[in-house]
């Protein structure tokens, strides 16, 4: 397995990024785009639901108005009005002319929207209202809202925020983890503890053999087991905490890796009420490294709020695993 580490002590020239930093920035920007796409999809669903409610309301009003007009016409047939022998000229139908004018206005708005908006099908551009001759026609609601690309200032602000997070929570390792028959690409961010211990454990990962970093054992999420991990975290220099996030450079592949991490790893460990365990032996030292891989739970939420509050919201949206490395 190829292991890559990142050092934060080297000085970089201002305004220039290495290929590794550009890949990291692209990965984090892709995560934010994926989150915005999900939020936009939820807004579109809410708009569609409101549109259907308005359509049902108009349909009910139309049926009630038809019933009232039927009853009035029946009463007029029962008591016909006597007229003189002189024939009257028919009165103009103002409702019909008003309805025709409203239909023309609606067609004009549709044509104007089609010139300004992207090309859509007929069913998306126009759905006739239940009451064509309504005095106050409802405006046509577009099926989707166009989001303009972010400006240069917005992209610069996002880059500064990402660089701040990368400096505060540097990437220690990028690779593949495995559980049962599922594999996922992740990046490990350093959160707290001993950076020397983290570098030693990452450097010893090739001792696991070729292929991905495989989770082969489990630890029950019971109070006594969690207390044992917390006691190890009280010994300075003998523990560190890392955060595993899905990794990819484009939104489509990132969505796939996020789904695999959530369903193949997080859901499985949560259903077993367990954390994953990897024992990492090092020939040069007597005490091996033990990697405790926790799914989202009360233990992870408390420690993330303590050590990385800036990452809680984004990590919760895309899925994460909290890793505590300690020596026995």
């Amino acid at each position: 397995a190829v292991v890559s580490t990142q050092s934060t002590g080297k000085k970089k020239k201002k305004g220039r990024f290495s290929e590794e930093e550009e890949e990291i920035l692209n990965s984090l920007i892709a995560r934010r785009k994926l989150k915005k796409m999900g939020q936009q999809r939820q807004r579109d669903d809410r708009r569609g639901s409101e549109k259907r409610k308005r359509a049902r309301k108009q349909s009910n009003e139309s049926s009630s108005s038809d019933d009232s007009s039927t009853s009035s016409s029946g009463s007029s047939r029962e008591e016909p009005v006597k007229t003189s022998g002189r024939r009257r000229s028919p009165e103009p139908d103002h409702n019909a002319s008003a309805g025709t004018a409203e239909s023309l206005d609606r067609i004009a708005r549709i044509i104007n929207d089609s010139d300004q908006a992207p090309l859509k099908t007929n069913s998306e551009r126009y759905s006739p209202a239940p009451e064509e001759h309504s005095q106050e026609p409802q405006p046509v609601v577009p099926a989707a809202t166009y989001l303009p690309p972010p400006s240069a200032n917005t992209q610069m602000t996002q880059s500064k925020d990402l660089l701040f997070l990368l400096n505060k929570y540097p990437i220690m390792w990028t690779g593949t983890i495995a559980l049962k028959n599922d594999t996922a690409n992740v990046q490990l961010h350093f959160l707290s503890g001993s950076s020397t211990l983290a570098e030693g454990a990452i450097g010893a990962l090739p001792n696991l053999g070729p292929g991905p970093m495989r989770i082969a054992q489990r630890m029950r999420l019971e109070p006594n087991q969690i207390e044992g991990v917390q006691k190890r975290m009280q010994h300075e220099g003998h523990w560190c905490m890392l955060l595993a996030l899905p990794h990819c450079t484009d939104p489509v592949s990132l969505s796939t890796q996020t789904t695999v991490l959530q369903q193949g790893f997080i859901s499985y460990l949560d259903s077993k009420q367990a954390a994953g365990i990897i024992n990492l032996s090092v020939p040069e030292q007597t005490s091996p490294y033990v990697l405790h891989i926790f799914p989202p739970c009360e233990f992870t939420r408390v420690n993330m709020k303590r050590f990385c509050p800036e990452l809680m919201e984004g990590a919760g949206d895309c899925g994460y695993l909290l890793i505590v490395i300690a020596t026995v």
Side-chain angles (χ1 to χ4, degrees), residues 99-133:
T100 303
E102 293 164 3
S103 299
L104 292 176
D105 292 340
R106 186 179 295 109
I107 293 172
R109 284 195 300 272
I110 294 170
I111 294 174
N112 187 23
D113 294 340
S114 64
D115 292 337
Q116 298 178 357
L119 183 61
K120 302 176 182 179
T121 60
N122 292 334
S123 60
E124 291 176 338
R125 290 190 305 178
Y126 174 66
S127 56
E131 189 177 356
E132 288 292 341
H133 301 290

Side-chain angles (χ1 to χ4, degrees), residues 38 57 61 129 170 224 238 288 301 308 319:
K57 183 178 180 181
E61 293 176 355
N224 57 343
H238 293 275
R301 283 187 286 270
C308 57

Side-chain angles (χ1 to χ4, degrees), residues 243-271:
L243 183 68
L245 296 176
H247 168 67
C248 209
T249 56
D250 61 277
V252 176
S253 300
L254 181 61
S255 176
T256 303
Q257 297 300 321
T258 301
T259 302
V260 172
L261 187 67
Q262 290 176 342
Q263 297 180 358
F265 291 79
I266 298 175
S267 298
Y268 176 81
L269 293 174
D270 185 65
S271 64

Side-chain angles (χ1 to χ4, degrees), residues 3-65:
V3 180
S4 61
T5 61
Q6 179 180 359
S7 175
T8 59
K10 297 181 180 180
K11 295 184 179 179
K12 304 179 181 61
K13 294 182 179 180
K14 185 176 181 181
R16 297 182 180 179
F17 303 117
S18 64
E19 294 181 357
E20 182 180 359
E21 290 176 336
E22 289 181 356
E23 181 182 356
I24 294 169
L25 288 175
N26 292 333
S27 174
L28 295 177
I29 291 174
R31 291 174 189 165
R32 292 197 175 184
K33 287 182 179 179
L34 182 63
K35 179 180 177 181
K36 290 182 179 179
M37 290 168 61
Q39 294 174 349
Q40 181 60 35
R41 190 178 298 110
Q42 293 177 357
R43 288 195 293 269
D44 293 341
D45 293 341
R46 288 196 295 269
R47 292 193 185 97
S49 176
E50 294 174 357
K51 180 180 177 181
R52 289 190 293 270
K53 289 180 181 179
R54 287 196 296 268
R56 286 196 296 268
K57 183 178 180 181
Q58 292 177 357
S59 179
N60 295 333
E61 293 176 355
S62 175
S63 59
S64 61
S65 62

Side-chain angles (χ1 to χ4, degrees), residues 66-311:
D66 292 341
D67 294 340
S68 61
S69 61
T70 303
S71 60
S72 62
S73 61
S75 60
S76 62
R77 285 195 300 270
E78 292 175 0
E79 298 180 2
V81 179
K82 295 182 180 180
T83 58
S84 59
R86 188 175 179 179
R87 193 172 185 179
R88 293 183 179 179
S89 59
E91 295 181 357
D93 190 355
H94 297 287
N95 292 332
S97 60
T100 303
E102 293 164 3
S103 299
L104 292 176
D105 292 340
R106 186 179 295 109
I107 293 172
R109 284 195 300 272
I110 294 170
I111 294 174
N112 187 23
D113 294 340
S114 64
D115 292 337
Q116 298 178 357
L119 183 61
K120 302 176 182 179
T121 60
N122 292 334
S123 60
E124 291 176 338
R125 290 190 305 178
Y126 174 66
S127 56
E131 189 177 356
E132 288 292 341
H133 301 290
S134 175
Q135 298 296 331
E136 295 181 357
Q138 296 292 332
V140 178
V141 179
T145 303
Y146 173 73
L147 292 176
S151 61
N153 294 333
T154 303
Q155 292 180 347
M156 183 63 68
T157 302
Q158 292 178 352
S159 299
K160 290 181 180 179
D161 293 341
L162 294 177
L163 287 176
F164 168 76
L165 293 177
L166 288 176
N167 291 329
K168 189 172 183 180
Y169 309 109
I171 294 174
M172 302 295 295
W173 183 75
T174 300
T176 305
I177 60 175
L179 176 62
K180 298 293 184 179
N181 296 325
D182 294 312
T183 58
N185 297 329
V186 297
Q187 282 184 336
L188 301 185
H189 296 258
F190 179 81
L191 300 184
S192 183
S194 172
S195 59
T196 303
L197 185 141
E199 292 175 355
I202 295 298
L205 285 178
N207 297 337
L208 295 174
M213 185 173 65
R214 181 169 295 277
I215 302 173
Q217 300 178 7
R218 297 197 305 263
M219 178 191 76
R220 295 286 296 176
L221 294 177
E222 297 176 349
N224 57 343
Q225 299 285 355
I226 295 177
E227 287 177 3
V229 177
Q230 291 174 340
K231 288 181 180 179
R232 293 188 183 98
M233 293 173 60
Q234 295 176 359
H235 298 281
E236 185 177 357
H238 293 275
W239 70 277
C240 68
M241 184 174 293
L242 307 176
L243 183 68
L245 296 176
H247 168 67
C248 209
T249 56
D250 61 277
V252 176
S253 300
L254 181 61
S255 176
T256 303
Q257 297 300 321
T258 301
T259 302
V260 172
L261 187 67
Q262 290 176 342
Q263 297 180 358
F265 291 79
I266 298 175
S267 298
Y268 176 81
L269 293 174
D270 185 65
S271 64
K272 299 295 183 180
Q273 285 296 295
I277 296 294
I278 298 177
N279 292 309
L280 185 57
S281 300
V282 181
E284 295 82 11
Q285 61 186 39
T286 57
S287 299
Y289 298 105
V290 180
L291 282 69
H292 308 78
I293 304 172
F294 291 89
C297 59
E298 184 63 25
F299 174 80
T300 62
R301 283 187 286 270
V302 170
N303 284 279
M304 287 187 67
K305 186 177 180 180
R306 176 184 175 186
F307 296 114
C308 57
E310 300 92 343
L311 298 178

